[in-house]
Amino acid sequence: MLPLMRNKGLIHWRWLVFFLASSLLVGCGDGDTGPTGPAGPVGETGPAGPSIPSTITATMSAEFTNATVAQDGALTVSFNIADDRGFGFNALPNDRIRFTVAKLIPAGAKGLGEPSQWQSYINRTELPPQDPANGPGTESAIQATSERDGVLTNNGDGTYSYTYKTNLKNATDPLAVAYDEQLTHRVAFQISGGGFPTLNKTFDWQPSTGKTTDIASRYMVEQGSCNNCHGELALHGGGRVDTDYCVTCHNPGSTDANSGNTVDFKVMVHKIHRGVNLPSVKQGQEYAIWGYRDSKHDYSGTPLPMDIRNCTACHDETISTTPDAANWMDVPTMEACGSCHDKIDFALGAESENGHAGGAMADNSECAVCHGQGRFASTRDKHVGVLEKIDLARTRLVAKPNNISIDQASGDVVVSVLMTLDGTPVAALRDGNDVDTDVGAVLGKYKYGTDNGSLVINWDNGSGYQLNHQEIDFNDCIADGNGLFNCSAAGLLAGITDADTVTTTTVDLFLCINEKNGETARCDANETQSTRVTQVDVTPSFTYFKGDNSVTSDGYDKIGASQESCQQCHQDNKYHHGATTLVQCKTCHNATRASSRGRPGDLKHHVHRFHAGLDDDALIPVEAGDSDHFPSNIRDCKACHSGNQHDIPLQSNPRASIANRDDPVFISGTALVCAACHVDAPLGAIDPQKPQYMDNSQIPAKHQAIIDHMIQNGAVFGSKDFASANKVESCSVCHAIGSESGIDSVHKL
């Protein structure tokens, strides 16, 4: 029986009602529920709840959802923005977003052989500079641009719409752009500044049908291809990070009034990347573009860290996101070709010094006749095809060290090297009269020397290579006539005393080939219509020997950078002096190498200085084609280092390094690395006993403070004793990865 609550002796009435109602429900449990009654009237809408402002997060996402053109030509786009949790962002201010719109003019629409091209509807006139220091331009120029003065509607939930001020059916000033609803159109926006993470978004569609797929396209470059070198391509103050967005303004009709140079994307980017090697620059001209507020950007000294003919590094037709990438070889044009070959005057024929070898050209209608796919002078064969021949040539000459003999008492060494060309043993490089044989005549010369190649030797006792730049010239090796060359050097390996020591032997050779057919050629051959001689570095072969002269697979492994990361930019796998691997670099550029100018030559210092653009520290002066420009952010350690390679204490090569070839001093390892970028002075000239560290010091005060900080935390400069400098500093206490001031934090992008 249901217990009843009592209140002052009475049954509580609430329990009584509950009891009676429950009894009735139980008693009716087997009956029908009856039909559902009609819905009641809809109540009045209550007032809207308060809007909760969104917060800008470190990463955000955005996407276009639609684009429409009204009968009167008004263009309206819809898009959404979300924070890093996926919640709609409702606090976008009008001054943080700008919009572009362009149409895609189809290939051939402007004439036979003419490529497709983007044409912006939004344009402006740029006036020529008033001050000659701001460029040689003398005429006004049309430039595509963006707008932000249309109507932005915020729906309060992370969705937005924008109606352009520019009317697509009335785009006439300063350039008339006709609207054609059948063509592919692209709308785009940029969000940046004000604490926002940069976002570039594009949306392609056909206004007549609303279709977004199966429409004409011009996707030439995948952003990831650019970022292989640039980390994250970020231009115009960092607000432009997507090439699909860039081309909506960098159209063929846009020109820089300051310089008179076109800013058409295909022309400008090709010229920037060829930079120091542009024919016009080699003849003393400059290539520069003036940007915001007449800021000059001079690309005359900019090199490409790979062969300029490696077109597929940017235009990769094998990936689905760039269906039009093959245009570089399928649709040759004067504009694209003339961007790199910028001294050719296509209006003139071969009879003129700078004329077009194939005859005078008035337009692009006949370009593909000679340079199209499968033609005798196809663009592909002249670019990637040549590189394929070079890659093949690198494997034709093989020189493999196969035996070593070391006299541990004297350090005398003899290395036997087996050399073959196309599988045939090389009998000799020179005859008895010291004249090049057929093989010797096709061996290239070392860039900074006169030899026919060399055998490089170094040894590692567990702490790192003990020599630098120790070579035996192949001209001094004795050939047995059957492909074997015995190369000897007196006293070279003095100090090797036990079987745990590993000796590295590698052969540096160069081979001359005819680019026209890929065959070997005499290095002194004259250039003709069918001959163009190129010297290529032969793929090196390494052999590692134990102290007992037996071959081992345990070679030198003290490399603090990732070879694969280097290849992202140096895609032809070629570095300074023709070296192709980092181990090959370290046989010379290790802790025992220094220049006569007080500079350490250790790779861990040298490469940082080189990439930071401080090329006055280069052991060999920078020449045209060499690179001291780093295309990514110099703070992006992971562009070169994988895992914890860049952590401190140093992971791979902590040894103290020598500076000053003539008056040697030693510098502790971590100080050597950090000072490479942070101290503007020859490290070998720093002496802690001198006022301001150098006689007549020109070291900036802030750099002196950095040296102070290093020394206070254990760094050693100017030591005459290797042992005192070969120490681990206390830098890792504050700067190890994960620390409050860790290098991952202070170098954070």
PDB file of all heavy atoms in Angstrom, residues 415-429:
ATOM      1  N   VAL A 415      95.023   3.991 -52.827  1.00  0.00           N
ATOM      2  CA  VAL A 415      93.637   3.599 -53.084  1.00  0.00           C
ATOM      3  C   VAL A 415      93.535   3.155 -54.534  1.00  0.00           C
ATOM      4  O   VAL A 415      93.980   3.870 -55.447  1.00  0.00           O
ATOM      5  CB  VAL A 415      92.656   4.756 -52.825  1.00  0.00           C
ATOM      6  CG1 VAL A 415      91.222   4.296 -53.100  1.00  0.00           C
ATOM      7  CG2 VAL A 415      92.792   5.267 -51.407  1.00  0.00           C
ATOM      8  N   SER A 416      92.954   1.997 -54.740  1.00  0.00           N
ATOM      9  CA  SER A 416      92.725   1.499 -56.096  1.00  0.00           C
ATOM     10  C   SER A 416      91.296   1.824 -56.516  1.00  0.00           C
ATOM     11  O   SER A 416      90.354   1.530 -55.778  1.00  0.00           O
ATOM     12  CB  SER A 416      92.958  -0.016 -56.159  1.00  0.00           C
ATOM     13  OG  SER A 416      94.293  -0.316 -55.822  1.00  0.00           O
ATOM     14  N   VAL A 417      91.171   2.428 -57.677  1.00  0.00           N
ATOM     15  CA  VAL A 417      89.868   2.864 -58.180  1.00  0.00           C
ATOM     16  C   VAL A 417      89.633   2.236 -59.540  1.00  0.00           C
ATOM     17  O   VAL A 417      90.479   2.349 -60.442  1.00  0.00           O
ATOM     18  CB  VAL A 417      89.798   4.400 -58.301  1.00  0.00           C
ATOM     19  CG1 VAL A 417      88.431   4.835 -58.810  1.00  0.00           C
ATOM     20  CG2 VAL A 417      90.100   5.053 -56.955  1.00  0.00           C
ATOM     21  N   LEU A 418      88.482   1.578 -59.694  1.00  0.00           N
ATOM     22  CA  LEU A 418      88.116   0.991 -60.974  1.00  0.00           C
ATOM     23  C   LEU A 418      87.217   1.971 -61.708  1.00  0.00           C
ATOM     24  O   LEU A 418      86.169   2.370 -61.195  1.00  0.00           O
ATOM     25  CB  LEU A 418      87.394  -0.342 -60.763  1.00  0.00           C
ATOM     26  CG  LEU A 418      86.991  -1.102 -62.033  1.00  0.00           C
ATOM     27  CD1 LEU A 418      88.241  -1.510 -62.821  1.00  0.00           C
ATOM     28  CD2 LEU A 418      86.167  -2.336 -61.681  1.00  0.00           C
ATOM     29  N   MET A 419      87.630   2.366 -62.928  1.00  0.00           N
ATOM     30  CA  MET A 419      86.883   3.363 -63.685  1.00  0.00           C
ATOM     31  C   MET A 419      86.398   2.772 -65.006  1.00  0.00           C
ATOM     32  O   MET A 419      87.165   2.160 -65.746  1.00  0.00           O
ATOM     33  CB  MET A 419      87.746   4.598 -63.972  1.00  0.00           C
ATOM     34  CG  MET A 419      86.963   5.749 -64.621  1.00  0.00           C
ATOM     35  SD  MET A 419      88.003   7.160 -65.104  1.00  0.00           S
ATOM     36  CE  MET A 419      88.672   7.640 -63.518  1.00  0.00           C
ATOM     37  N   THR A 420      85.087   2.976 -65.276  1.00  0.00           N
ATOM     38  CA  THR A 420      84.499   2.529 -66.541  1.00  0.00           C
ATOM     39  C   THR A 420      83.685   3.655 -67.150  1.00  0.00           C
ATOM     40  O   THR A 420      83.131   4.499 -66.447  1.00  0.00           O
ATOM     41  CB  THR A 420      83.583   1.306 -66.348  1.00  0.00           C
ATOM     42  OG1 THR A 420      82.518   1.658 -65.451  1.00  0.00           O
ATOM     43  CG2 THR A 420      84.353   0.115 -65.786  1.00  0.00           C
ATOM     44  N   LEU A 421      83.614   3.689 -68.469  1.00  0.00           N
ATOM     45  CA  LEU A 421      82.764   4.618 -69.203  1.00  0.00           C
ATOM     46  C   LEU A 421      81.832   3.790 -70.069  1.00  0.00           C
ATOM     47  O   LEU A 421      82.283   3.051 -70.955  1.00  0.00           O
ATOM     48  CB  LEU A 421      83.595   5.566 -70.067  1.00  0.00           C
ATOM     49  CG  LEU A 421      82.806   6.574 -70.901  1.00  0.00           C
ATOM     50  CD1 LEU A 421      81.990   7.508 -70.022  1.00  0.00           C
ATOM     51  CD2 LEU A 421      83.734   7.381 -71.813  1.00  0.00           C
ATOM     52  N   ASP A 422      80.539   3.900 -69.807  1.00  0.00           N
ATOM     53  CA  ASP A 422      79.533   3.087 -70.496  1.00  0.00           C
ATOM     54  C   ASP A 422      79.857   1.600 -70.381  1.00  0.00           C
ATOM     55  O   ASP A 422      79.662   0.822 -71.318  1.00  0.00           O
ATOM     56  CB  ASP A 422      79.413   3.489 -71.973  1.00  0.00           C
ATOM     57  CG  ASP A 422      78.842   4.882 -72.143  1.00  0.00           C
ATOM     58  OD1 ASP A 422      78.034   5.302 -71.293  1.00  0.00           O
ATOM     59  OD2 ASP A 422      79.203   5.563 -73.112  1.00  0.00           O
ATOM     60  N   GLY A 423      80.368   1.209 -69.205  1.00  0.00           N
ATOM     61  CA  GLY A 423      80.649  -0.192 -68.934  1.00  0.00           C
ATOM     62  C   GLY A 423      81.994  -0.683 -69.420  1.00  0.00           C
ATOM     63  O   GLY A 423      82.388  -1.814 -69.113  1.00  0.00           O
ATOM     64  N   THR A 424      82.725   0.144 -70.168  1.00  0.00           N
ATOM     65  CA  THR A 424      84.026  -0.258 -70.697  1.00  0.00           C
ATOM     66  C   THR A 424      85.138   0.300 -69.820  1.00  0.00           C
ATOM     67  O   THR A 424      85.141   1.502 -69.525  1.00  0.00           O
ATOM     68  CB  THR A 424      84.207   0.256 -72.138  1.00  0.00           C
ATOM     69  OG1 THR A 424      83.179  -0.280 -72.952  1.00  0.00           O
ATOM     70  CG2 THR A 424      85.567  -0.157 -72.690  1.00  0.00           C
ATOM     71  N   PRO A 425      86.094  -0.544 -69.406  1.00  0.00           N
ATOM     72  CA  PRO A 425      87.186  -0.041 -68.564  1.00  0.00           C
ATOM     73  C   PRO A 425      87.948   1.085 -69.253  1.00  0.00           C
ATOM     74  O   PRO A 425      88.225   1.028 -70.458  1.00  0.00           O
ATOM     75  CB  PRO A 425      88.078  -1.273 -68.362  1.00  0.00           C
ATOM     76  CG  PRO A 425      87.154  -2.436 -68.550  1.00  0.00           C
ATOM     77  CD  PRO A 425      86.180  -2.015 -69.614  1.00  0.00           C
ATOM     78  N   VAL A 426      88.294   2.109 -68.484  1.00  0.00           N
ATOM     79  CA  VAL A 426      89.059   3.240 -69.002  1.00  0.00           C
ATOM     80  C   VAL A 426      90.539   2.892 -68.895  1.00  0.00           C
ATOM     81  O   VAL A 426      91.051   2.672 -67.786  1.00  0.00           O
ATOM     82  CB  VAL A 426      88.740   4.525 -68.214  1.00  0.00           C
ATOM     83  CG1 VAL A 426      89.647   5.665 -68.652  1.00  0.00           C
ATOM     84  CG2 VAL A 426      87.277   4.898 -68.384  1.00  0.00           C
ATOM     85  N   ALA A 427      91.219   2.870 -70.046  1.00  0.00           N
ATOM     86  CA  ALA A 427      92.629   2.462 -70.050  1.00  0.00           C
ATOM     87  C   ALA A 427      93.522   3.540 -69.463  1.00  0.00           C
ATOM     88  O   ALA A 427      94.443   3.252 -68.692  1.00  0.00           O
ATOM     89  CB  ALA A 427      93.072   2.134 -71.472  1.00  0.00           C
ATOM     90  N   ALA A 428      93.288   4.806 -69.825  1.00  0.00           N
ATOM     91  CA  ALA A 428      94.143   5.893 -69.345  1.00  0.00           C
ATOM     92  C   ALA A 428      93.459   7.225 -69.608  1.00  0.00           C
ATOM     93  O   ALA A 428      92.612   7.344 -70.497  1.00  0.00           O
ATOM     94  CB  ALA A 428      95.500   5.849 -70.048  1.00  0.00           C
ATOM     95  N   LEU A 429      93.818   8.234 -68.792  1.00  0.00           N
ATOM     96  CA  LEU A 429      93.312   9.590 -69.020  1.00  0.00           C
ATOM     97  C   LEU A 429      94.263  10.373 -69.914  1.00  0.00           C
ATOM     98  O   LEU A 429      93.839  11.297 -70.617  1.00  0.00           O
ATOM     99  CB  LEU A 429      93.147  10.328 -67.687  1.00  0.00           C
ATOM    100  CG  LEU A 429      92.223   9.682 -66.658  1.00  0.00           C
ATOM    101  CD1 LEU A 429      92.114  10.578 -65.426  1.00  0.00           C
ATOM    102  CD2 LEU A 429      90.846   9.429 -67.248  1.00  0.00           C
TER     103      LEU A 429
END
